[in-house]
Each structure stands twice: as C-alpha cells, then as structure tokens.
Amino acid sequence: MTTPTAAPTAAAPATTAELRASVGPLWQALLEHPFPAGLADASLPLERFRYYVTQNLLYLPDYARMLAVGASRSQNGVVLEEYTDALVNIVKVEIPQNERMLAGVVELAGAVPARDGVRAPATVAYTSWLLSIAANGDANDIAAALLPCAWSYGEIARGLVDGAVAHPVYSGWLAFFASGDYAAVVTTLRESFDRELAGMPEAARRRAAEIFLTGCRLERQFWDQGFSGATWSDLS
Amino acid sequence: MTTPTAAPTAAAPATTAELRASVGPLWQALLEHPFPAGLADASLPLERFRYYVTQNLLYLPDYARMLAVGASRSQNGVVLEEYTDALVNIVKVEIPQNERMLAGVVELAGAVPARDGVRAPATVAYTSWLLSIAANGDANDIAAALLPCAWSYGEIARGLVDGAVAHPVYSGWLAFFASGDYAAVVTTLRESFDRELAGMPEAARRRAAEIFLTGCRLERQFWDQGFSGATWSDLS
Amino acid sequence: MTTPTAAPTAAAPATTAELRASVGPLWQALLEHPFPAGLADASLPLERFRYYVTQNLLYLPDYARMLAVGASRSQNGVVLEEYTDALVNIVKVEIPQNERMLAGVVELAGAVPARDGVRAPATVAYTSWLLSIAANGDANDIAAALLPCAWSYGEIARGLVDGAVAHPVYSGWLAFFASGDYAAVVTTLRESFDRELAGMPEAARRRAAEIFLTGCRLERQFWDQGFSGATWSDLS
Amino acid sequence: MTTPTAAPTAAAPATTAELRASVGPLWQALLEHPFPAGLADASLPLERFRYYVTQNLLYLPDYARMLAVGASRSQNGVVLEEYTDALVNIVKVEIPQNERMLAGVVELAGAVPARDGVRAPATVAYTSWLLSIAANGDANDIAAALLPCAWSYGEIARGLVDGAVAHPVYSGWLAFFASGDYAAVVTTLRESFDRELAGMPEAARRRAAEIFLTGCRLERQFWDQGFSGATWSDLS
C-alpha cells in the first residue's frame, strides 16, 4: 500500500539527479550530519565510531542480500552482471574494510560492549526496509533503495576529506569513501539507473522517488543513532 | 546475520508461554503502555488515536502480506489453511474494523492531516521488519513474528476493558480486542505454534525467541509513536 | 532472461481476449483435449482419472501458494483482497472438491498406487513454473500465469457438459467447472486483469503474453500426462 | 506440499556421498547418458549441440539467480560469501564459456534456428524448479538443488575426457568440466554442504534427498531434450 510522502504535483523524477533534488533539504542534512563532520575534525568519541561500525557490520550483509535479490530478479544478463558486481563489491571490499576499521577502533578504545552488538532500532529499520523492498519490489525498486547510502557516502566523504584532521582510524574512513574507486562504483550505479529511469512509466518513477526519500530518511536515522549512541529502551 | 540480543544461557523457549517469559519485563511494558491506558480512561487526545489508527491502516495490509507469505511458504495443507484463515481475518475483519474506527474518530476530530498519512518511522520499521522476516524466514519465523502484535493486543484489552470509561470510539477498540472471538484467533495461533515449537531444533527455537523479542520492541515503538505523535524529522 | 516465444510483430495483447487469441490453435487444443473428452463420453479409464486427480491435489496447493504470493505482492488493498478471495476459493472450495472426487474414484477403482503419488514430470514443471513466476514476477505476471488453468477449465467443461454421459465421478467434474459459480470466479479474474492490462506498458503486456503462452503449454502437458499415465523414466 | 518420492525406510542421507547413493541407478544414468557420450566420440550432430548450448544459455542465468537467492537467504557471512563466489563463477566463467562454445558451433553449423531459441519444455521445468526451490526453500534446500548439475557435470566429463575423439568444439566442453579448476568448485560446494548436512534435522535431510532426486531427474530430462531435439508440441 503506497502512501504519498511528498506532494505529487511535480512530474516524477526521470534522472538520479532529479531523484536527489526531489528530497529537498534532506540530502543536504545528510551531507552536513554531525557524525561524519566529527570524523573530519576528529571530535567524535571513539566509542561512538565503534558503535557505528559495529552496527554497520550488521547492516552491510543485509545490503549485500538486497543486491543478491536484485541479481535474482534481473530480467536480462546485463542487469544480472551489474548486481553481481555490486554484491561482490560489498562482500569482498566494503565488509572487509569495515572489519579493518572495527579492529582499528577496538585497539584504541577496547572491545565492543555487548549492548552495542545488539541490532539497534535504526539498524533494524533500515536493514528490514532494504530487504522488504527487495522482497516485494522489482529490480528498479531495488536500484532506488540502494542509492541513498551508496551515493551520499561518496559525497559526504569528498566534501570533508580535504580539510580533515589526521586520525588513526577516521582518516581511513574518509579516504575510502572519497576515493576515485568508490566514486566509480557510484557512477556505475547512477548511470545504470539513469538508463532505466528514462524508460520507466510515471507510476514506477514516482514509486522510485518515494523509495529514495524513505532511504534518505533511514540514512539520517542511522547517522543519528551512531551519533547519539541510542538503542532499544529495554536496553538503555 | 543473526545477533545475540539476549543472553543465550538458558534453553531456548519451547512453548509460546516460554517465548513470552523470555522477553522479561518488556511484555509487561506493553500491557501497561500509556497509549492503551489512555483509551481505557479516555484521556488520550483524539488526534493521537486518529494518528495511531491512520498508521495502523498502513500497518495492517503489510501484516496481511506477511500472512500471505506464510501461506506461500507452508510445507503442508494444514499450515496453508491456517495462514489462509489468518489472512482472511485481517483482510475481512480487522482492516474494516479499523476503517470504522477511523471514520468514527474523524467524525469527532476532523480529517486526517496530510502529515499523519505519511508512513511514519515506527510504521516503516515494523512493517518492513514483518516483510523481511517473511522474505527470508520460514513459516515458523513468520509465526514468531506475527505473535507479539496479535497476542499482546488481546491481553492489553482484556486487562483494561472492565473498568474502562465509556467513549464513543475507544470503547469499541477495547471491546473488539477483549472479545471472545478475538481471543479464539489468538488461541489458534498459539496452539499452532506450540505444536511447531515442540519439534523445532534448538537453533530454530532460539531464532524464534530473537524474532519474538524484536517484535515486542517494535510493538512498543509503535505505541510510543502513537502516544507522542512523532514522525520523521524532516516533517516535524 | 526473457525469450521471444512468439513473433513480436503484432502489438502486445491489451485484453484477456487478445491474450487468448495470441496463443492461436493452442487454446483450441486445450478445449479439444482427449482427457476431458474422455470424461464427457465416460471412456477415460478410472485409473487415469485417479492419477490425474492425485497429481491435481499436488498441483492445487502450489496454485494456492502462487495466489498467496500475489496477495503478498499486491500494491493496494483492492488487489490484496482479490488475491485473498482467489486463495480462499482454492483452499476452501477447489481442494475439498478434488478430495471428494479422489475419494469417489478410489471407491470405484481402488487405492492410489505409490507410483501415482510421486510428483510427476508435468506436475513438477507446472507447479515450479507457477511458483517461479510468483517469486520473480509482479502481481500482473501472476495474473497472467493463473489464467490459463482457471479460464480453460470453465470453457472445457461448458463445452462438454451438455451431451455428457452420466458417470458416478466424471459428471461431478463437468458440473463443477461448468457451473455458474465457477464462471463467476473466472469472470472476476478476467475483469480484474482486463483493467490492469489496459494500463500496462507494452513490455509488460508482451511479458504477460509470453507467460500466458507458457501456461497454456503447461496445461496441455498436464492433460497429456494424465491421459498417458506417464511419469519419470526411473519409475517407469 | 512434500511428497514421498522414495521409500522413507532408510535413514535420511547425512553426507553428499549418501545423497548420491540415495538416487540409486539414476546417477549412473546421468554418467552414461548418450548426449555427453556423443561429445566424447564426436558422434553427436552439431545441430543437437547447438540446441543444447542455446538452451543451456537460457538455463545458466536462472541457475545464477538461484545462487543469488542463496546469498540473499544466507544466515551468516560465511554462507553469504560462498554463494557470492558460486554466483560469480556462473556469471563470469560458465556463461562466457558457453557463449564461446555457441559461437564455435554456430561457425560450424550455422545460426541458431528461431525454434531452438524458445525456452523448451525441459528448460522451463528445470529452471522453474530451481527458482521455486530458491523461492520457498532455505539455503540448504538451495544447496541440495544446485548440486546434481554441478557435481554430475564434473564426473561425466572426467569419465569421458581421456579416450575422447578430438573435436573443434566438443573437446572444449570436456576439457572445461574435467579440469581441476572445475573440480575445485564442486569440492567446495560438497564440503560446504557436508558440513551443513551433518547438523540438519532428519526432516531437513529427507527434504534435501527429495530435492536432490528431483534435480537428478531434471538433469536427465535436460540431456534427453538435447539429445532428441524435442520441444513443445505446438512448435513441432
């Protein structure tokens, strides 16, 4: 059951650039979120980064699972191969990179407390949402759902990397997501979805916009959770 | 990727009564939540009930969809028929009953504001979680996921109905969920899952306990959302 | 990976009547198949009908599961309710009716041999195909997949019922599928899909035509299997 | 709805070697099938190999999609990575290798006739079955379903490669599946599933045996189809 989450007066977005524009100031809120800003000026407590990376290592396998569903729903060999490549990137590159960052922060700040290892509210919400889109959507719905995370991370990191304070762990985060390799992954995702969007009917593009908007909201919640260290009220 | 969300020292629950016991004071927190208490003493603002029912009418179709997936994953004809019956109950009884309650509260408090019609954070989290369990779990995982909502509603309502203040809309909510018909639906669900649990291996029962726990947490979040009227920060 | 299974020169079908026309003489081959003809003139050996009904009772639960997936994939409440109704019809009406027919033929011809209870080649092919369409398709793909069976049965039975020879079991088959109640179920399915087809893009209608064609081929294989009594070569 | 397809008197298989033994002479029938034998003695008409490879190129993407679903259903990071590796192997190695073989045979025997490009009966049955197991099963069901194809191909090729007649296309087929690289892929699949089987409850192992048996039957049908050149009766 779809719900209007934005005034459907304008035409539905027909490019990924229009998708981004459609969420208004929410995109800017991601770029300026205090969590990554705290990585750049090294003001973020290590305990919060450790919590964030711990939760991210619960998040990424489900992100990978969504990409696997995208491969399984592909209607042709090109899309099958694109989703396979994206899946490999998460499993073979991003998850190991997060594991290295976790090892780094654990060395500095000690082991992960049991409470931080519980799948937290924003993690449950975001991973469940990815998997539910994967379950009931088509390959284009999945493309809209994976984009907020992948795309915003690159833009956030590139916007912060230049003036960043050197830090034994945080610098690696910024360098990874500001890299040309990472930008190339995002460019591939965007170009592929730009091609699809051009041919999608109005209703499908409107649904893509709604999915993209919800994805941005869940991105923000996930940053908020890392920044505040919040979890379930029965564990607080 | 499963995460221990409760100390796995004790044996995994083998009955639905043990499932309930395994979440500790969280179950009691559902029974004593101020939202349904505010229905019983008629202190809850109508605007909050209208918001809650509006969100519940976004929730219930996804709850029905999870039951439909349960039917589709059934390994035999008995389970197929049980999930079909449960699906029919949501589609033909609970959704219409909520639509009548919404009509009742709209008559008293005016139309639903646009902001309330947006699928709100706890609604996205809970519905997505139900659908993600349905997508990746088996019929027993689904049975564990549907139980916190169905079961707690009956217990909440029966605990409140006797001393409740008469109210043009709230009394109907209490009467519906305190009814013998509703109790019979829950008894069927519990008896069916009790039969399954008895034969499930330890690991599957532990997973059921984890799912049940997360379901109770999401129930609480959903009540909290209705009670506070909160939504996404970009809409606030 | 879609495959052109019919020359894509003509416009894709935009109504269910055009879908039927698009499969050409194959539809007529269903209507004139010797298996149902053998029910009408009572020439079909009871052993073959027993085999057919036994396999049909393996088929119908998977047909129901496909309808359950349709409910789970529904994009709005109307479609959710339509698939729920169709599911209930299979579970509560068609499966019991087949069980009664099986009991009837067993009384006349003896118990089902073990070999007949093995899910046979055309049964595996057809049920797997229904479930695979359900898994990877959307609600409209499912609508196209369920139609050949539902629709052709009504037309077959209505074409044969009038001159049929009285038979203790076969007459019931003809009466059931020639009934007005059954025709009403099919009319609902067709009208619902006619509404969807009218608004579907060309590519989706072409896919629907391909699905409908494969469904008709699998229908024919299923009749052939019942008529010949064939099964796996390692069981023959 | 599961069906006993083998007498459930013996204990359910607990290793992949026991799985293979459980299908009895059917496994030997795969190893001795005249289609691969005709590759080894170069007696198979090129038109039949062209048809087989054309159908195989419709089969392999769905095999890959099943592996993608396996990745999406994985319960931990190890299984996620194993299915990702297996998926990459099909998409990046086996599909390109089949495309090269098709190009080779087309050079010798001319372009693929339109009739051969239609997804044929045994192809529909086998691919649909893989996807239906993927849709409704868990990761272990998928492991049982993918094994007959992967495993038997290696054994078939190794049994034939030594005395094989040199052939511009067929020799490549034998060399590919008889290679150590291919054997290593199968060994990984078997060792992984051996680990799982050891801990699976009786009912799950029995279901695995049933899935493995059906997979072997569908393998045989697929070879039969290639050998006979058969397709749908409305195309014949």
Side-chain angles (χ1 to χ4, degrees):
Chain A
M1 186 156 291
T2 55
T3 319
T5 54
T9 48
T15 65
T16 56
E18 289 178 18
L19 270 184
R20 180 178 51 187
S22 75
V23 304
L26 183 50
W27 188 261
Q28 198 58 29
L30 294 178
L31 301 193
E32 297 172 359
H33 197 281
F35 188 98
L39 298 177
D41 67 11
S43 67
L44 187 79
L46 285 168
E47 292 71 24
R48 293 296 155 80
F49 188 70
R50 187 181 57 194
Y51 182 44
Y52 160 81
V53 178
T54 301
Q55 292 297 315
N56 208 36
L57 279 165
L58 296 168
Y59 170 87
L60 285 171
D62 280 343
Y63 192 84
R65 288 181 182 100
M66 176 187 61
L67 296 171
V69 178
S72 81
R73 295 279 169 77
S74 59
Q75 298 271 337
N76 60 60
V78 174
V79 176
L80 172 59
E81 192 159 355
E82 285 173 349
Y83 273 113
T84 299
D85 291 343
L87 169 62
V88 168
N89 181 58
I90 298 297
V91 170
K92 303 288 187 182
V93 180
E94 283 215 28
I95 290 177
Q97 193 259 353
N98 272 265
E99 287 170 340
R100 283 191 300 273
M101 290 196 301
L102 183 61
V105 73
V106 160
E107 204 173 328
L108 296 175
V112 179
R115 170 194 173 282
D116 286 14
V118 175
R119 199 177 278 260
T123 314
V124 167
Y126 202 169
T127 58
S128 298
W129 178 77
L130 292 172
L131 294 173
S132 73
I133 295 291
N136 287 346
D138 60 21
N140 290 326
D141 294 332
I142 296 172
L146 65 86
L147 210 50
C149 175
W151 189 2
S152 67
Y153 267 51
E155 293 215 354
I156 289 169
R158 279 200 309 281
L160 293 169
V161 72
D162 280 345
V165 173
H167 184 279
V169 179
Y170 301 169
S171 297
W173 190 93
L174 291 163
F176 181 83
F177 291 108
S179 72
D181 281 359
Y182 188 81
V185 169
V186 175
T187 298
T188 300
L189 292 172
R190 285 189 58 194
E191 286 178 353
S192 167
F193 197 36
D194 278 327
R195 278 194 303 275
E196 295 293 328
L197 275 165
M200 283 159 56
E202 172 80 8
R205 286 183 288 117
R206 202 167 291 288
R207 199 169 68 217
E210 203 183 317
I211 290 170
F212 187 84
L213 172 60
T214 302
C216 290
R217 285 169 170 165
L218 290 165
E219 268 299 310
R220 189 183 197 174
Q221 269 198 347
F222 197 79
W223 286 127
D224 288 348
Q225 174 178 276
F227 194 68
S228 69
T231 188
W232 301 103
S233 50
D234 63 297
L235 297 178
S236 302
Chain B
M1 186 155 292
T2 56
T3 316
T5 53
T9 49
T15 64
T16 55
E18 289 179 19
L19 269 184
R20 179 178 51 187
S22 75
V23 304
L26 183 52
W27 187 261
Q28 199 58 29
L30 295 177
L31 300 193
E32 297 171 359
H33 196 283
F35 188 98
L39 298 176
D41 66 11
S43 67
L44 187 79
L46 285 168
E47 292 71 21
R48 292 296 154 83
F49 188 71
R50 185 181 58 193
Y51 181 44
Y52 160 81
V53 177
T54 301
Q55 292 296 315
N56 209 35
L57 280 164
L58 296 169
Y59 169 87
L60 285 171
D62 280 343
Y63 192 84
R65 289 181 182 100
M66 176 186 60
L67 296 170
V69 177
S72 80
R73 294 279 169 77
S74 59
Q75 298 271 336
N76 59 62
V78 174
V79 177
L80 171 60
E81 191 158 356
E82 285 174 350
Y83 274 112
T84 299
D85 290 343
L87 169 62
V88 168
N89 181 58
I90 299 296
V91 170
K92 304 288 189 183
V93 180
E94 283 215 27
I95 291 177
Q97 191 258 356
N98 273 265
E99 286 169 340
R100 283 191 300 272
M101 289 197 301
L102 183 60
V105 72
V106 160
E107 203 173 329
L108 296 175
V112 179
R115 170 194 172 286
D116 286 14
V118 175
R119 198 178 278 260
T123 315
V124 167
Y126 202 170
T127 57
S128 298
W129 178 77
L130 292 172
L131 294 174
S132 72
I133 296 290
N136 287 346
D138 59 21
N140 289 326
D141 294 331
I142 296 172
L146 65 85
L147 209 51
C149 175
W151 190 0
S152 67
Y153 267 52
E155 293 216 353
I156 289 168
R158 280 200 307 283
L160 292 169
V161 71
D162 280 344
V165 174
H167 184 280
V169 180
Y170 302 169
S171 297
W173 189 93
L174 291 163
F176 181 83
F177 291 108
S179 73
D181 281 358
Y182 188 80
V185 169
V186 174
T187 299
T188 300
L189 292 173
R190 284 190 60 194
E191 287 178 352
S192 166
F193 197 37
D194 278 327
R195 278 194 304 275
E196 295 293 328
L197 275 166
M200 282 159 56
E202 171 81 9
R205 284 183 288 118
R206 203 166 290 289
R207 199 169 66 216
E210 203 182 316
I211 290 170
F212 188 83
L213 172 59
T214 303
C216 290
R217 286 170 170 164
L218 291 164
E219 269 299 311
R220 189 182 197 175
Q221 269 198 350
F222 197 79
W223 285 127
D224 288 348
Q225 174 178 275
F227 193 67
S228 69
T231 189
W232 302 103
S233 50
D234 63 296
L235 295 178
S236 301
Chain C
M1 187 154 290
T2 55
T3 318
T5 54
T9 48
T15 64
T16 55
E18 288 178 18
L19 270 184
R20 180 179 49 186
S22 75
V23 304
L26 183 52
W27 188 261
Q28 198 59 28
L30 295 177
L31 301 194
E32 297 171 359
H33 196 281
F35 188 97
L39 298 176
D41 65 12
S43 67
L44 187 79
L46 285 169
E47 292 71 22
R48 292 296 155 80
F49 188 71
R50 186 181 59 194
Y51 182 43
Y52 160 82
V53 177
T54 300
Q55 292 296 315
N56 208 36
L57 279 164
L58 296 169
Y59 170 88
L60 285 171
D62 281 343
Y63 192 84
R65 289 181 182 100
M66 176 186 62
L67 296 170
V69 177
S72 81
R73 294 278 170 77
S74 60
Q75 298 271 336
N76 60 59
V78 174
V79 176
L80 172 59
E81 194 158 357
E82 284 173 349
Y83 274 112
T84 300
D85 291 343
L87 169 63
V88 168
N89 181 57
I90 299 296
V91 171
K92 304 288 189 182
V93 180
E94 283 215 27
I95 290 177
Q97 192 260 353
N98 273 266
E99 287 169 340
R100 283 191 301 272
M101 289 197 301
L102 183 61
V105 73
V106 160
E107 204 172 329
L108 296 175
V112 178
R115 171 194 172 284
D116 286 14
V118 175
R119 198 178 280 259
T123 315
V124 167
Y126 202 170
T127 58
S128 298
W129 178 77
L130 292 172
L131 294 173
S132 73
I133 295 291
N136 287 347
D138 60 21
N140 289 326
D141 294 331
I142 296 171
L146 66 84
L147 209 50
C149 175
W151 190 0
S152 67
Y153 267 51
E155 292 214 355
I156 290 168
R158 280 201 307 283
L160 293 168
V161 71
D162 280 344
V165 174
H167 183 279
V169 180
Y170 301 169
S171 297
W173 189 93
L174 291 163
F176 181 83
F177 291 108
S179 73
D181 281 358
Y182 188 81
V185 169
V186 175
T187 299
T188 300
L189 292 173
R190 284 189 60 192
E191 287 178 352
S192 166
F193 197 36
D194 278 327
R195 278 195 303 275
E196 294 294 329
L197 275 166
M200 282 159 57
E202 171 81 8
R205 284 182 289 116
R206 202 166 291 289
R207 200 168 67 217
E210 203 182 319
I211 291 170
F212 188 83
L213 172 59
T214 303
C216 290
R217 286 170 170 165
L218 291 164
E219 269 299 310
R220 189 183 198 176
Q221 269 199 347
F222 197 79
W223 287 127
D224 287 348
Q225 173 178 275
F227 193 68
S228 70
T231 188
W232 302 103
S233 50
D234 63 297
L235 296 178
S236 302
Chain D
M1 186 154 291
T2 56
T3 318
T5 53
T9 50
T15 64
T16 54
E18 289 178 18
L19 269 184
R20 181 180 48 187
S22 75
V23 304
L26 182 52
W27 188 261
Q28 199 59 30
L30 294 177
L31 301 193
E32 297 171 357
H33 196 281
F35 187 98
L39 298 177
D41 65 11
S43 67
L44 188 79
L46 285 168
E47 291 70 23
R48 292 295 156 83
F49 188 71
R50 187 181 58 194
Y51 181 44
Y52 161 80
V53 178
T54 300
Q55 292 297 315
N56 208 35
L57 280 164
L58 296 169
Y59 170 87
L60 285 172
D62 280 344
Y63 192 84
R65 288 181 183 100
M66 175 187 60
L67 296 171
V69 177
S72 81
R73 294 279 169 78
S74 60
Q75 297 270 337
N76 59 61
V78 173
V79 176
L80 172 59
E81 193 159 356
E82 284 174 350
Y83 273 113
T84 299
D85 290 343
L87 169 62
V88 168
N89 181 57
I90 299 297
V91 170
K92 303 288 189 181
V93 180
E94 282 216 27
I95 290 177
Q97 192 258 355
N98 273 266
E99 286 169 341
R100 282 191 300 272
M101 289 197 300
L102 183 60
V105 72
V106 160
E107 204 172 328
L108 297 175
V112 179
R115 171 194 172 284
D116 286 14
V118 175
R119 199 177 278 260
T123 314
V124 167
Y126 202 169
T127 58
S128 297
W129 178 76
L130 293 172
L131 295 173
S132 73
I133 295 290
N136 285 348
D138 59 22
N140 289 326
D141 294 331
I142 296 171
L146 65 86
L147 209 50
C149 175
W151 190 359
S152 66
Y153 268 50
E155 293 215 354
I156 289 168
R158 280 200 307 282
L160 293 170
V161 70
D162 280 344
V165 174
H167 184 280
V169 179
Y170 300 170
S171 297
W173 190 93
L174 290 164
F176 181 82
F177 290 109
S179 72
D181 281 359
Y182 188 80
V185 169
V186 174
T187 299
T188 300
L189 292 173
R190 285 189 59 194
E191 286 179 353
S192 166
F193 197 36
D194 278 327
R195 279 194 303 276
E196 294 294 328
L197 275 166
M200 282 159 58
E202 171 80 9
R205 286 183 288 118
R206 203 166 290 289
R207 199 169 66 217
E210 202 183 317
I211 290 170
F212 188 83
L213 172 59
T214 303
C216 290
R217 286 170 169 165
L218 291 164
E219 269 298 311
R220 189 183 198 174
Q221 268 198 350
F222 198 78
W223 286 128
D224 288 348
Q225 173 178 275
F227 193 68
S228 70
T231 189
W232 302 103
S233 50
D234 62 298
L235 296 179
S236 301

